[in-house]
Each structure stands twice: as C-alpha cells, then as structure tokens.
Amino acid sequence: MLKQQAGLIARVVYVVDMALTTVAFFAAFFIRNEIFPRIDPSHFPTGLYPLIDYIKIYPLVFAIWSVLLFSYHSYHSHRTVSVRRETLTTLRVVLVGNVLLATVAYLLPLRQLSRSWFVLFAALSAGLLVSEKLLLRVMARFVRSNGLNYRTILIVGTGKRATEIAGLLDEHKYWGYKILGFVSDGHRLSNGWSRYPIFGTVPELKDILERGEQGAIDEIVFAVTRRKLDEMKAIFLFCEELGIRTRVAMNFFPNRLARIEVEELEGVPFLTFTTTPSNESQLAVKRMFDVAVSLVMLTCALPALAIAALAIKLSTPGSVLFKQQRIGLNGRIFTLYKFRTMIADAHERREEVRHLNEMSGPVFKAKSDPRVTTIGRFLRRFSLDELPQLWNVLKGDMSLVGPRPPIPEEVGRYQRWHRRRLSMKPGLTCLWQVSGRNNVDFERWMQLDLQYIDNWSPALDLKILLRTIPAVLSGRGAS
C-alpha cells in the first residue's frame, strides 16, 4: 500500500512539474512577445515568431525536461534529502535542459528561439519548479510533524551503531520516521535510549514479529556487526515472506570516499563501492553533449585548423600533427592529437632542457622551452594547438571536461592517490586549466582533479566550460 501511495504521489508530482514547465514555456513567449515591446520598444521592437512555431518545438522541451527530471532522481523519496540539495538539483535540471535545448536549436537550427526567450524560460521554470519543491516540502513536514505520513521503524541492534542511527532519525523528526523500539543483539542500550522498549533478543525476532506486540512495522533496520549478519539469513527470508522492508546499516566497511550502491546482475545482488560518477542518465547526457559540441566546434573551426596547419607546414619542417600515447579512462592507452608546436626532433632533445622544468612532480612544463617554435608559441598561448583533440572527444577517447590525460612515463611515477584521477575520462579542460594552468603546482593540480571527480555533475561541466573561455582568450597560465 505504501509503495502504491509513493508511486501515485511521484506521478502526481511529475504531472505538476511538467504543467509548471509548460506554464513557464508559454509565459516566456507571452512576456517576450507582448510585454517587453511595450516596456522597451527600442530594444524589443518586434514580437517573436508566431505562437504556432513555438508549439511545434514544445514536444522537444517536454522530452528533455522529462528525461532530466527522472535522471536526477526527482521522484525518489526525499524524506532525508536537504532543502539545499533538492534546490540545487532542480536548478541543475533547468540549466542542463536549457543548454541541451540551445545546442539542439543551434544544430537544427531553430531560429524562432530567441535569447531573451531562453533567459525568460530558464528563470520562470527555475522559479516555478523550486517554489513547488519548497511548498511540497513545507506541506510534508507539517503533516509529519503532526504525526501523519510517517513510517514506523524497528531497530535490530542495541550497540553504538544502532544508537547512532536512532539518534539520526530522532534528530530529524520531519523525515517522518517513528522509532518503535529495539531488538537486543547482546549489547547494553545506553541510558539516553531507555525510553524506547526492547522487545526481545535477535533469536526471538521471528516470535516478536509474529506476536505483533510492537504494532505495525513499516521497516526493520539491522544495525549489527558483520559477524551477526551472517547469523540472520533465516530472519531476512522471514521478513521477505511477511513483506516487511528491511535495511542493513553498512557502515562497518572502511570506505572514506567511495559511495555505496546496490546493484543486481541476473538476480545476484552486488554491493558496489565507487568514487566516480555512476548515474548512467547523466553520463549519457555528458556524452551527447560532448558529441554535439565537438562536432559543432570542429565544423566552425575548419578555417582556423586549415590556417594553423598551413602555418606549421610552411614555418618548420616536420609533420603538422603531433601524435602521442596518453593514458585514458582506467589506464586505457589512446593516441592523442595536437598541432605540432615544437621542432621535429624535440623528443630526442628532452634531456637538454630537463633543467628548465618549472613544475614539481613527474610532469615537465617550461615557459622558456627553446624547442617551441614561433608559431607553436602563439598556438599554445591561446590553446589552438589542442583543437585536433576535438577528434579525440568525438571518438570517445576524451571528454570536453575531465582531468588532462597524462603520458605513460608520468603515470609510472604517480603516488597511489594520484592514480584515482584516471578513474574519469580525460578532457580538454578541467579545474586545473581554469585555475591558472602552469601557475598551479603538481600536488594542487592532482587535488583539483580529484575535487572535480568527487563533485561532478553536468552543471559543473558547464561551469568549467564557461570559465575556460576567458582563461583561453587571456592566455593565462599558458606556456
């Protein structure tokens, strides 16, 4: 019954979300088409395309917003999700949705979508959706604070782990969980929790559930040691037969950074520890964005690519492109493409310039490297030498945003904690590039890469890309 109610509520919230998005869509049209020209006719002298042209693209907006809302888990239970996190998630949906819509509009092209309409639609949809989420949260907290819409919890265990969980639930009453009591696992319950009854011991749990003295149970939380869990196989099966949801506190594993996820492979459950993003929908959005943007940039950059190739060919002997083996996702080796910015025998002369290295750690960076050609120095200053790497992005070796791909020799000298940066697909730009590039020392560079991995989201990628533009144009930190 509870699952059916939750499913119904999720469907209703989805309908409301899409209704508000629809209101924002057409309200943005009305404001831009009718109100702005009256307020400021000098900046908005004429209206937009006819309404029918906007109605034609509405299904695209509906599809994008639906996919993003579900991929960001907007309809999972939010009892224990903070207001800040839910607000940021909603803003990310709107931001990423508008970026995807703008990309599609550029590629097709959809000329009826004006910039002012985009700004209005983003602001209205964000405001309406966030207001709705906050209103729902206030209503839910009011209902739960008055003893309604709560779930009853029986905690199996009386040790420190059990009381920590009980404390968490007791501290956040608005989550809507009501502790019925404990089942002892042999530990003595601390005095602070003596107000809750102990219904018996773990071996008696079957009888406790059958007698039903504790009242209706929605969930059972097992907060016992790993050794005791091995003794409870029959109890788990018994709870399954009764249809009672069971949860197991897994904080006895020594993970510091990894998130714990439960997956299933042909009926076999797996407990997964991962430090990298694993939301397949968001990663699919990242890949689609990579393909679309790299394709557009390669097409637009064709004249610049041709001019750069010609300048390299005419100025110095040797090939136009520089190809190098790099380490990609989880140690995969791939060929990276760049415009050649050094003399043809630069690799053979690397020992001559090793003393010029200005970076700590296993990498080599030198602003005054004599092997760099005049054309190469210009290309490097504005990162034009990296344009061929858009082909690597299109192929899937790289992403637009991600840790820079190292060479095998560098990886061989990594400390153990450095290697975690290889757990994310490498990219053209990342936090290191927008934080000063060669002005940042190696250790800080590694820390920024791990910070990116630990906090990744499509919105973070977009933020880094926007910060990359002024960093590239200014040539800040380039060598």
Side-chain angles (χ1 to χ4, degrees):
M1 176 63 83
L2 287 171
K3 285 185 178 180
Q4 292 175 347
Q5 291 176 352
L8 177 61
I9 292 172
R11 287 192 288 271
V12 170
V13 174
Y14 167 70
V15 171
V16 174
D17 282 348
M18 296 315 300
L20 292 175
T21 302
T22 303
V23 169
F25 182 90
F26 290 105
F29 175 86
F30 176 77
I31 294 171
R32 172 59 184 86
N33 201 52
E34 301 293 336
I35 298 179
F36 277 13
R38 297 177 187 175
I39 297 175
D40 191 353
S42 60
H43 286 90
F44 306 98
T46 58
L48 297 172
Y49 283 74
L51 179 61
I52 189 65
D53 288 343
Y54 276 73
I55 293 176
K56 290 177 182 177
I57 63 172
Y58 173 71
L60 177 63
V61 174
F62 189 94
I64 291 175
W65 258 249
S66 294
V67 170
L68 288 174
L69 284 167
F70 278 100
S71 68
Y72 277 91
H73 305 301
S74 298
Y75 306 111
H76 288 194
S77 174
H78 283 192
R79 285 177 183 264
T80 58
V81 176
S82 67
V83 174
R84 178 178 177 275
R85 181 178 169 188
E86 187 170 16
T87 300
L88 289 176
T89 297
T90 304
L91 293 176
R92 287 190 186 109
V93 168
V94 174
L95 180 61
V96 175
N98 274 276
V99 169
L100 289 175
L101 184 61
T103 303
V104 173
Y106 179 85
L107 292 174
L108 288 182
L110 301 173
R111 302 187 186 281
Q112 64 265 47
L113 298 182
S114 71
R115 285 173 293 180
S116 54
W117 178 87
F118 265 113
V119 173
L120 282 168
F121 176 52
L124 288 171
S125 57
L128 289 173
L129 289 174
V130 169
S131 298
E132 175 221 5
K133 304 301 180 190
L134 293 177
L135 179 61
L136 288 174
R137 183 175 287 268
V138 169
M139 291 171 58
R141 288 192 175 186
F142 175 78
V143 168
R144 290 166 187 160
S145 297
N146 285 275
L148 299 173
N149 188 231
Y150 61 83
R151 298 180 66 84
T152 55
I153 298 284
L154 178 65
I155 299 177
V156 178
T158 47
K160 182 180 178 182
R161 185 175 289 112
T163 53
E164 285 177 351
I165 292 171
L168 196 63
L169 298 176
D170 196 56
E171 183 181 348
H172 299 85
K173 293 186 184 300
Y174 54 82
W175 285 354
Y177 289 108
K178 179 180 179 182
I179 301 172
L180 295 174
F182 295 85
V183 174
S184 176
D185 63 348
H187 291 88
R188 184 176 179 179
L189 196 63
S190 57
N191 292 332
W193 299 100
S194 57
R195 65 185 184 276
Y196 289 103
I198 297 178
F199 294 104
T201 62
V202 170
E204 300 170 332
L205 183 56
K206 284 187 178 181
D207 294 333
I208 293 170
L209 296 177
E210 287 179 337
R211 290 197 307 267
E213 295 175 357
Q214 70 290 326
I217 299 175
D218 293 322
E219 299 183 19
I220 297 177
V221 175
F222 288 87
V224 296
T225 63
R226 186 166 34 179
R227 180 179 58 81
K228 284 193 175 292
L229 276 179
D230 293 334
E231 304 169 3
M232 297 186 179
K233 296 176 184 177
I235 294 175
F236 285 124
L237 293 174
F238 183 71
C239 292
E240 183 181 281
E241 288 179 4
L242 295 180
I244 300 175
R245 172 185 281 190
T246 57
R247 298 176 187 263
V248 179
M250 305 301 294
N251 53 351
F252 42 68
F253 285 101
N255 59 305
R256 291 177 296 175
L257 297 171
R259 297 181 308 280
I260 300 178
E261 300 174 356
V262 178
E263 300 174 311
E264 190 173 289
L265 181 63
E266 291 295 331
V268 179
F270 283 86
L271 195 63
T272 303
F273 294 83
T274 177
T275 58
T276 55
S278 56
N279 186 310
E280 293 184 2
S281 300
Q282 291 185 13
L283 292 173
V285 169
K286 179 179 174 71
R287 179 58 187 153
M288 288 189 291
F289 186 75
D290 284 344
V291 172
V293 173
S294 59
L295 197 57
V296 170
M297 290 183 67
L298 275 173
T299 304
C300 295
L302 280 176
L305 290 167
I307 293 171
L310 185 62
I312 294 169
K313 194 67 178 176
L314 294 177
S315 61
T316 57
S319 61
V320 170
L321 288 179
F322 172 71
K323 303 176 184 179
Q324 189 178 46
Q325 296 290 296
R326 294 290 182 104
I327 303 296
L329 179 64
N330 292 325
R332 291 172 173 82
I333 297 177
F334 70 97
T335 301
L336 178 136
Y337 301 96
K338 297 178 68 172
F339 278 129
R340 182 174 59 83
T341 58
M342 291 186 173
I343 56 179
D345 60 344
H347 186 70
E348 288 73 20
R349 296 177 56 183
R350 63 187 184 280
E351 291 299 327
E352 299 176 17
V353 296
R354 193 172 296 277
H355 66 283
L356 300 175
N357 189 14
E358 299 171 356
M359 285 284 284
S360 59
V363 295
F364 179 88
K365 297 287 181 181
K367 290 182 180 179
S368 57
D369 192 331
R371 299 173 299 167
V372 179
T373 64
T374 303
I375 292 295
R377 203 168 296 281
F378 173 81
L379 294 175
R380 285 188 172 197
R381 177 171 177 77
F382 299 103
S383 299
L384 296 174
D385 60 317
E386 297 181 1
L387 284 176
Q389 289 171 48
L390 290 169
W391 178 245
N392 288 114
V393 175
L394 204 56
K395 286 174 58 185
D397 298 326
M398 296 175 61
S399 176
L400 290 173
V401 183
R404 289 296 294 155
I407 60 176
E409 290 82 357
E410 292 173 7
V411 175
R413 296 169 58 191
Y414 273 1
Q415 295 180 31
R416 186 170 59 186
W417 69 274
H418 296 158
R419 297 185 69 89
R420 190 160 70 87
R421 70 186 297 272
L422 303 177
S423 62
M424 192 93 176
K425 187 180 287 188
L428 289 173
T429 184
C430 202
L431 290 175
W432 173 65
Q433 274 77 3
V434 299
S435 300
R437 289 194 276 187
N438 296 334
N439 295 330
V440 178
D441 65 33
F442 179 75
E443 292 297 307
R444 180 58 180 157
W445 174 5
M446 297 295 102
Q447 291 169 2
L448 287 171
D449 282 346
L450 297 185
Q451 179 182 326
Y452 167 76
I453 293 171
D454 293 338
N455 297 282
W456 178 82
S457 69
L460 179 59
D461 273 4
L462 181 62
K463 180 180 178 181
I464 292 172
L465 285 172
L466 293 176
R467 289 179 59 190
T468 297
I469 296 171
V472 168
L473 293 178
S474 66
R476 178 166 46 93
S479 61

